[in-house]
């Protein structure tokens, strides 16, 4: 799916009321923001619009209040942080489309911004209710979507408002669709994809789609054990999906038919049980991937596999990675994920990391600056890799 969408530079914004959908769904602890990464990433778009003299109306969801006003999901901490970062007072409206929102929007001067309260405080948001979308759109003259993390959802503030306003993307979405779009449509080769994470079922369509695009597909993480089972290996008590063994067998055949190199673990780190709590100390050993003892479970890729996967990444021209190689929250079982993150950081290739755990791993290990592109959306980047159309992007105007 390649997108060629208009962005904020393709439209006249001076003196106009511009509704900007951001992803301010930031982690909070006792009302304090623990990571402002998503707010910082939205700043280039917000600054551009303010500098150009637009009247900027920011909106976002936070958490899952399910259409009720839940105090702990208020965007008040976000408004305070935006005020600090922008050096300009960003007021928070008490509602999304109510009297206070309308009054604060009406009072905006050119180059000023206001933040609407959590879009999900209204039951119409997640249902993409046409009335709610129309009401929201009536606040503005232009719609800008810059929330890639929510672009796979057809909600009122991500897609519905685009029925009523000229709609373009901000810098964040533009970067996502240009980097990821090019990687999938016209990659520099060899093109290597590395998939991990717990369940095959989460990545069924991704595997299927990538097998038509990549030169090498690497499978690690919990999902690898279903593939190993499909090859007839004994996988002990490792996590595996009984209902997907045939599917994995088909994918192994498809890879062969398409001339795609499919790399599976050759050795694995095993323990008697899953760590509980997750960071508990464990007694582990490394065994060949086809010789996992009956009473042990695979929890990370072994040393030989780490080298095998790292070599493939280092020799690639384009690498896409989504999903950890093991239980990376546990220091003993993080070595596989660290090895992959390190290989990407050291690679000369265009490196793209899909959101979620893989992105968190790169951040934690300090490799983020060495990766070409870290996606801001977990679910959205997965659907992008599946080749699905994302409603929050499909609704924007084409160039």
């Amino acid at each position: 799916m390649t997108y060629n969408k208009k962005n904020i530079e393709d439209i006249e914004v001076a003196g106009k009321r511009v509704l900007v959908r951001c992803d301010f769904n930031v982690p909070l602890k006792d009302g304090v923001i623990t990571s402002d990464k998503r707010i910082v990433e939205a700043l280039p778009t917000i600054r551009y619009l303010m500098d150009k003299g637009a009247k900027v109306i920011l909106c976002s969801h936070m958490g899952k209040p399910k259409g009720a006003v839940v105090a702990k999901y208020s965007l008040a901490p976000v408004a305070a942080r935006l005020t600090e970062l922008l050096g300009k007072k960003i007021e928070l409206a008490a509602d999304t489309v109510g009297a206070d929102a309308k009054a604060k929007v009406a009072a905006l001067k050119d180059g000023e911004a206001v933040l609407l309260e959590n879009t999900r405080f209204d039951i119409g948001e997640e249902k993409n209710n046409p009335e709610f979308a129309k009401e929201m759109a009536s606040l503005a003259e232009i719609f800008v979507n810059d929330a890639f993390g929510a672009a796979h959802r057809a909600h009122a503030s991500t897609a519905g408002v685009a029925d009523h306003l000229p709609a373009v993307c901000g810098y964040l979405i533009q970067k996502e669709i240009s980097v990821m779009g090019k990687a999938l449509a016209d990659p520099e080769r060899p093109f290597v994809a590395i998939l991990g994470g717990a369940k095959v079922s989460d990545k069924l369509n991704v595997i299927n789609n990538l097998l038509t695009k990549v030169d090498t597909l690497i499978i690690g993480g919990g999902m690898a054990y279903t593939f190993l089972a499909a090859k007839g290996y004994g996988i002990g008590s490792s996590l595996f999906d009984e209902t997907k063994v045939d599917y994995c067998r088909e994918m192994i055949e498809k890879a062969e038919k398409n001339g795609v190199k499919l790399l599976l673990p050759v050795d694995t780190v095993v323990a008697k049980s899953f760590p509980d709590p997750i960071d508990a100390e464990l007694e582990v050993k490394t065994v060949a991937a086809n010789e996992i003892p009956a009473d042990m479970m695979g929890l990370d890729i072994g040393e030989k596999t780490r080298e095998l996967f790292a070599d493939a990444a280092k020799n690639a021209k384009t690498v896409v990675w989504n999903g950890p190689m093991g239980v990376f929250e546990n220091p003993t079982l993080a070595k596989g994920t660290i090895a992959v993150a390190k290989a990407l950081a050291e690679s000369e290739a265009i490196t793209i990391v899909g959101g979620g755990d893989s992105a968190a791993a790169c951040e934690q290990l300090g490799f983020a600056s060495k990766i070409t592109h870290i996606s801001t959306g977990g679910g959205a980047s997965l659907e992008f890799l599946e080749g699905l159309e994302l409603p929050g992007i499909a609704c924007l105007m084409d160039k």
Side-chain angles (χ1 to χ4, degrees):
M1 180 58 63
T2 53
Y3 294 100
N4 192 14
K5 296 294 183 183
K6 286 192 174 176
N7 66 46
I8 45 176
E9 293 180 17
D10 298 319
I11 195 163
E12 190 50 61
V13 298
K16 298 262 172 63
R17 295 187 313 278
V18 182
L19 178 69
V20 187
R21 176 56 157 98
C22 300
D23 182 4
F24 292 147
N25 186 25
V26 292
L28 291 173
K29 195 175 178 185
D30 306 323
V32 178
I33 297 171
T34 55
S35 165
D36 66 358
K37 187 172 181 292
R38 289 179 168 173
I39 301 174
V40 171
E41 282 171 334
L43 294 177
T45 295
I46 298 170
R47 283 203 177 105
Y48 173 86
L49 294 168
M50 290 172 84
D51 291 348
K52 288 281 179 216
K55 299 177 173 83
V56 184
I57 307 155
L58 303 169
C59 69
S60 174
H61 77 282
M62 185 188 279
K64 295 181 175 170
K66 306 233 184 300
V69 176
V70 181
K72 69 172 180 180
Y73 293 130
S74 167
L75 291 177
V78 175
R81 188 69 188 117
L82 277 167
T83 298
E84 287 168 16
L85 291 166
L86 291 163
K88 286 186 178 179
K89 176 79 180 140
I90 306 297
E91 297 252 11
L92 176 70
D95 42 37
T96 314
V97 293
D100 194 53
K102 287 179 177 149
K104 284 196 165 67
V105 167
L108 280 177
K109 296 187 176 67
D110 293 358
E112 290 183 345
V114 65
L115 175 62
L116 305 178
E117 188 51 282
N118 193 338
T119 55
R120 286 190 188 171
F121 282 178
D122 193 294
I123 199 79
E125 161 73 332
E126 293 189 73
K127 294 187 169 147
N128 195 3
N129 174 295
E131 280 311 302
F132 177 61
K134 196 173 173 182
E135 192 86 1
M136 243 188 130
S138 72
L139 296 170
E141 297 157 277
I142 294 167
F143 171 57
V144 174
N145 192 2
D146 211 25
F148 184 72
H152 58 310
R153 301 200 172 100
H155 290 171
S157 70
T158 58
V161 290
D163 293 342
H164 309 282
L165 296 170
V168 299
C169 63
Y171 289 130
L172 209 57
I173 281 192
Q174 187 191 6
K175 186 178 176 203
E176 294 278 1
I177 59 183
S178 60
V179 179
M180 284 173 62
K182 176 167 182 350
L184 293 176
D186 182 20
E188 288 190 41
R189 296 187 181 277
F191 179 17
V192 176
I194 305 170
L195 296 179
K199 301 199 288 286
V200 176
S201 50
D202 292 345
K203 308 238 162 96
L204 291 178
N205 303 332
V206 179
I207 295 167
N208 206 357
N209 188 40
L210 288 175
L211 281 176
T212 63
K213 301 188 183 303
V214 300
D215 300 296
T216 302
L217 180 62
I218 293 175
I219 307 269
M223 59 195 276
Y225 300 103
T226 308
F227 275 88
L228 294 171
K231 292 189 79 149
Y233 296 172
I235 56 164
S237 61
S238 305
L239 179 82
F240 98 114
D241 190 339
E242 222 164 323
T243 61
K244 298 291 179 272
V245 175
D246 288 342
Y247 171 85
C248 290
R249 213 168 277 137
E250 280 168 36
M251 291 301 109
I252 293 168
E253 284 164 19
K254 182 172 176 172
E256 212 163 296
K257 204 175 95 205
N258 290 1
V260 173
K261 204 185 217 175
L262 181 66
L263 296 182
L264 295 170
V266 290
D267 60 349
T268 179
V269 176
V270 296
K272 289 268 190 221
S273 64
F274 196 84
D276 180 30
I278 204 145
D279 54 358
E281 275 191 39
L282 275 190
E283 211 171 293
V284 298
K285 63 178 184 175
T286 303
V287 298
N290 57 352
E291 291 172 9
I292 300 175
D295 61 342
M296 313 263 307
M297 53 165 48
L299 296 168
D300 192 15
I301 55 174
E303 202 170 327
K304 287 181 182 150
T305 306
R306 299 201 284 268
E307 281 175 28
L308 179 73
F309 290 5
D311 282 347
K314 282 180 186 161
N315 294 319
K317 284 272 192 289
T318 307
V319 188
V320 172
W321 174 34
N322 190 298
M325 296 293 106
V327 187
F328 94 104
E329 301 87 343
N330 186 302
T332 314
L333 304 169
K335 294 187 177 111
T337 304
I338 292 171
V340 167
K342 191 167 181 288
L344 262 69
E346 289 170 2
S347 173
E348 301 284 300
I350 293 162
T351 49
I352 299 167
V353 176
D357 292 336
S358 330
C362 289
E363 299 281 341
Q364 281 165 27
L365 299 163
F367 293 142
S369 61
K370 297 191 173 78
I371 306 287
T372 312
H373 177 66
I374 294 185
S375 178
T376 52
S381 67
L382 264 186
E383 292 197 10
F384 207 98
L385 292 177
E386 280 179 42
L388 295 180
E389 188 164 75
L390 306 182
I393 297 174
C395 67
L396 307 176
M397 296 188 297
D398 291 315
K399 277 206 190 244

